[in-house]
Amino acid sequence: MILLGAAERDLQEIAAWLLDVTSQAVAARYISRIQARLDSLAFGSERGTVRGEADGLRIIGLLPGVSVAFVVDGDTVTVLRILYRGRSFSASPQGDEPD
């Protein structure tokens, strides 16, 4: 699985927001849950409906309030964005090189 830079930044922003509104322990558990759900994409990456915004784009819910935008190319899952709190996907996000 590949997390693009925008997806990595999304995770960091979610963690920062959680630290502002909850404890460090709660934030760490929630981020761990998101990461576990992302890891599960390797075993069921054909989930979700292919959308028209980008070639092969899929968006599915990971947890309440958290969705993931990704594409599947053969055996590779590329996570484009991790969307939270009602954020929407942009078909041309900035800085999308794998880290």
Side-chain angles (χ1 to χ4, degrees), residues 45-69:
S45 58
E46 298 294 322
R47 292 181 266 181
T49 302
V50 176
R51 299 184 41 158
E53 288 94 341
D55 224 8
L57 173 69
R58 296 171 183 272
I59 299 177
I60 61 169
L62 291 180
L63 296 169
V66 179
S67 298
V68 61

Side-chain angles (χ1 to χ4, degrees), residues 14-68:
I14 294 168
W17 172 74
L18 287 169
L19 285 170
D20 284 344
V21 298
T22 66
S23 69
Q24 185 173 357
V26 170
R29 280 195 307 269
Y30 199 75
I31 294 300
S32 291
R33 288 177 60 202
I34 292 172
Q35 290 171 328
R37 298 289 172 100
L38 289 172
D39 291 343
S40 76
L41 290 175
F43 304 105
S45 58
E46 298 294 322
R47 292 181 266 181
T49 302
V50 176
R51 299 184 41 158
E53 288 94 341
D55 224 8
L57 173 69
R58 296 171 183 272
I59 299 177
I60 61 169
L62 291 180
L63 296 169
V66 179
S67 298
V68 61

